């Protein structure tokens, strides 16, 4: 059996990830593939526990190194116990965020050393890379406005606008560095247009299956 494809979806808050992941999953299923829809941090019972720690760590100070290591610890569990078995089983995996989020948020956003993040990525991923990364891109102001309208408010959402501008720039830089993997979609447009663009990108991966 051929392994399934690994699709990751990235973007700052408020770029419509959930709605579009639903759309992506349905498009892949319509091609006759089984899909594992999952997310980071999370995707396994232990990784979901780590997610809870990351998003709400109470009063205790979370050093940025500990934060980075927790994201990669969750990723290691997720790969070993969920993503890789699903791919080997022929399923397509659609993952809400992956290592590019660590590069963009911990690296570009928080200023963690990008080479160190790459070493962790090599160690944890052991050569497995997404086949396609759909980057839902919008100006940070637009994303923040949409996230505020939804009334979201975990620790990450309270970061200042400048942080999200750095994260967005980080994502766009990654897309420039890896054009073979990234599909950048302008998510500030009306949803039907966004989904039309996503569909066109997915068709390229369907045609080389
Ligand atoms: P979510 O709200 O999209 O589920 O993601 C949770 C938060 O975690 C979001 O603000 C982005 C952040 N995050 C990182 O900072 N680094 C990572 O590696 C991942 C996967 C998520």
């Amino acid at each position: 059996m051929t392994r399934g494809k690994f699709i990751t979806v990235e973007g700052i808050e408020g770029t419509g990830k959930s709605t579009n992941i639903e759309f992506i999953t349905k498009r892949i299923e319509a091609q006759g593939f089984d899909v594992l829809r999952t997310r980071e941090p999370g995707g396994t019972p232990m990784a979901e526990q780590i997610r809870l720690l990351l998003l709400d760590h109470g009063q205790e100070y979370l050093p940025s190194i500990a934060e980075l290591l927790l994201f990669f610890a969750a990723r290691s569990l997720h790969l070993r116990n969920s993503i890789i078995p699903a791919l080997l089983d022929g399923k397509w995996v659609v993952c809400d965020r992956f290592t590019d989020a660590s590069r963009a948020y911990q690296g570009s956003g928080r200023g963690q050393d990008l080479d160190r993040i790459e070493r962790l990525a090599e160690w944890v991923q052991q050569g497995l890379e997404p086949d396609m990364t759909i980057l839902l891109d919008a100006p940070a102001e637009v994303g923040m406005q949409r996230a505020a309208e939804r009334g979201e408010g975990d620790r990450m959402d309270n970061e200042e606008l400048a942080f999200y501008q750095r994260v967005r720039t980080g994502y766009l830089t990654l897309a420039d560095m890896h054009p073979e993997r990234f599909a950048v979609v302008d998510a500030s447009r009306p949803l039907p247009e966004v989904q039309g663009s996503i569909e066109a990108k997915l068709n390229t991966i369907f045609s080389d299956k």
Side-chain angles (χ1 to χ4, degrees):
M1 166 165 325
T2 49
R3 93 154 167 82
K5 301 272 189 201
F6 182 25
I7 315 276
T8 60
V9 183
E10 300 280 358
I12 59 169
E13 276 70 0
T15 50
K17 272 191 304 110
S18 303
T19 309
N20 287 308
I21 284 172
E22 182 77 34
F23 175 77
I24 291 165
T25 302
K26 289 209 173 106
R27 296 308 305 144
I28 299 172
E29 284 171 346
Q31 295 285 317
F33 298 108
D34 283 342
V35 178
L36 170 70
R37 179 180 161 176
T38 186
R39 67 172 180 183
E40 290 213 345
T44 79
M46 275 174 72
E48 289 288 333
Q49 295 279 319
I50 295 175
R51 178 188 180 89
L52 293 178
L53 290 173
L54 279 162
L55 297 186
D56 182 6
H57 50 95
Q59 298 304 311
E60 184 170 347
Y61 174 64
L62 179 61
S64 53
I65 296 173
E67 180 187 66
L68 180 66
L69 292 172
L70 284 170
F71 277 116
F72 274 97
R75 186 160 298 133
S76 170
L77 289 161
H78 194 202
L79 280 166
R80 168 65 179 72
N81 296 339
S82 178
I83 293 174
I84 291 172
L87 292 173
L88 293 178
D89 203 26
K91 291 197 179 92
W92 285 43
V93 174
V94 177
C95 191
D96 183 343
R97 302 191 184 283
F98 192 63
T99 302
D100 294 311
S102 299
R103 297 180 172 112
Y105 281 78
Q106 281 65 56
S108 305
R110 292 204 200 291
Q112 290 255 25
D113 184 69
L114 287 167
D115 289 336
R116 179 177 290 165
I117 296 175
E118 285 320 309
R119 289 202 296 280
L120 285 170
E122 277 167 30
W123 191 28
V124 168
Q125 289 171 232
Q126 305 200 0
L128 180 74
E129 294 291 342
D131 295 292
M132 178 178 274
T133 298
I134 297 176
L135 173 58
L136 297 170
D137 176 62
E141 293 84 346
V142 173
M144 291 307 90
Q145 177 71 31
R146 287 191 191 160
E149 283 162 12
R150 287 198 312 247
E152 290 178 358
D154 63 25
R155 184 178 64 89
M156 297 282 186
D157 284 329
N158 292 330
E159 295 285 353
E160 77 281 23
L161 184 65
F163 173 79
Y164 289 105
Q165 285 167 335
R166 290 197 298 278
V167 173
R168 181 199 186 198
T169 304
Y171 272 133
L172 290 172
T173 305
L174 288 166
D176 279 344
M177 285 164 61
H178 304 284
E180 72 297 342
R181 171 165 74 82
F182 269 86
V184 183
V185 172
D186 176 359
S188 60
R189 294 170 301 160
L191 190 60
E193 286 179 36
V194 173
Q195 295 191 332
S197 298
I198 292 174
E199 176 131 41
K201 310 279 187 194
L202 285 176
N203 285 340
T204 65
I205 201 167
F206 294 146
S207 59
D208 66 28
K209 70 192 177 218

